[in-house]
Amino acid sequence: MSGFDGGNPYGANYSTGGGFMAGGEDSPSTKKSGSNSLRPVTIRQILNAQQPAAEGDFTIDGVQLGQLTFVGVVRNVSSFPTNVSYSVEDGTGSIDVRQWLDGNADETGKTDGITQNRYIRVLGTIKAFQNKVSISAGHIRPITDFDEVMFHKLEAINTHLQLLNGAGASTGAPRAATGGAEQKFSHIEDPLQRKVMESIASLADAHEGSGVPIVTVARRIAGYKEQDVRTAVENLVTEGYLFTAEDDEHVLPS
């Protein structure tokens, strides 16, 4: 695929190391530590990562994180003598990314092509300071082919599903909804909003990267017009139950 370095979407010097994708040496059913693997993720997954012990490794889907990679759009750039800080968002959330320079000036070309409103790929590790999560980047490069963005979203979803359900989950089929969904949203008084939340929650895992299409939700809820469902979604976004993902037509639970 054009835009990838030598056919490797992570760059010439990086690989997943037999990580989580089907065909790797380690299967998700047996591998519980990803410290030696490169994990494709969304920013929302990073923000929701767990740190079971202070100063310990972060985990996503119960798997320890080492190096991770994600793609997103640079929304702000702040330059300092020893580092550059980027605000990056991918439709699921935004996060600060810091890249350290080798000297007072960037003589190695680390920041070449990394500009505002440009898609980039980031490789790095999670850092936490005063309860705020950020990324310490070991490598950043601009993306020249938008297909790489879509590839990454699919890879992040596939990895997430494999780790949750085992290697057979690579089909992308959503998990069966677990019991208690009705009780989880029973505090929402409006019956349509409650149905919308239940439907989106049941589809969220299969649409981790891009978000659940509103039109899909409308088709699943019988007895209501699509506009009524859209109004319910807008109200749920306003109230903080949902947030827009890839665009205004796709949403995910907060």
Side-chain angles (χ1 to χ4, degrees):
M1 182 178 295
S2 61
F4 290 22
D5 293 339
N8 181 355
Y10 306 106
N13 297 323
Y14 295 86
S15 70
T16 53
F20 304 104
M21 296 298 290
E25 295 177 359
D26 299 305
S27 71
S29 60
T30 59
K31 187 175 182 64
K32 296 304 181 184
S33 173
S35 58
N36 295 321
S37 299
L38 181 62
R39 171 77 186 266
V41 295
T42 64
I43 291 177
R44 180 169 178 260
Q45 287 179 301
I46 298 172
L47 297 176
N48 290 339
Q50 303 295 312
Q51 191 178 27
E55 306 300 327
D57 291 332
F58 281 86
T59 65
I60 295 179
D61 300 324
V63 176
Q64 292 180 1
L65 287 176
Q67 290 278 322
L68 56 80
T69 181
F70 63 93
V71 301
V73 180
V74 176
R75 293 308 187 193
N76 188 57
V77 181
S78 299
S79 298
F80 304 95
T82 59
N83 66 86
V84 180
S85 178
Y86 304 99
S87 176
V88 182
E89 65 94 5
D90 67 350
T92 72
S94 64
I95 196 167
D96 290 334
V97 177
R98 190 176 299 273
Q99 185 172 41
W100 296 93
L101 306 179
D102 293 336
N104 291 331
D106 179 32
E107 299 176 352
T108 60
K110 284 185 176 181
T111 63
D112 289 354
I114 312 300
T115 57
Q116 193 170 4
N117 297 323
R118 180 73 181 269
Y119 270 98
I120 61 172
R121 177 176 287 279
V122 177
L123 292 93
T125 55
I126 300 181
K127 301 295 180 183
F129 181 69
Q130 296 182 343
N131 296 321
K132 182 179 181 181
V133 172
S134 63
I135 298 296
S136 177
H139 181 67
I140 302 177
R141 65 169 175 80
I143 289 176
T144 58
D145 187 339
F146 190 74
D147 285 347
E148 182 176 350
V149 178
M150 302 308 297
F151 170 88
H152 175 80
K153 290 181 178 181
L154 292 173
E155 187 177 35
I157 292 170
N158 185 62
T159 300
H160 170 68
L161 290 174
Q162 285 196 38
L163 289 170
L164 287 183
N165 302 331
S170 59
T171 57
R175 292 178 296 164
T178 57
E182 294 80 2
Q183 294 181 355
K184 182 177 181 180
F185 303 112
S186 61
H187 62 285
I188 299 177
E189 296 182 0
D190 184 87
L192 177 55
Q193 290 185 23
R194 192 162 56 245
K195 289 179 181 292
V196 168
M197 283 302 303
E198 292 168 0
S199 179
I200 291 174
S202 69
L203 296 170
D205 284 344
H207 297 271
E208 179 82 31
S210 59
V212 180
I214 297 175
V215 65
T216 299
V217 178
R219 290 169 181 167
R220 287 168 58 96
I221 300 177
Y224 293 91
K225 297 179 181 178
E226 180 177 330
Q227 186 55 50
D228 294 333
V229 172
R230 290 183 175 275
T231 299
V233 169
E234 291 176 3
N235 290 334
L236 289 166
V237 170
T238 300
E239 294 169 8
Y241 290 101
L242 299 173
F243 69 93
T244 55
E246 185 177 65
D247 53 38
D248 290 341
E249 291 294 313
H250 297 76
V251 291
L252 285 168
S254 299

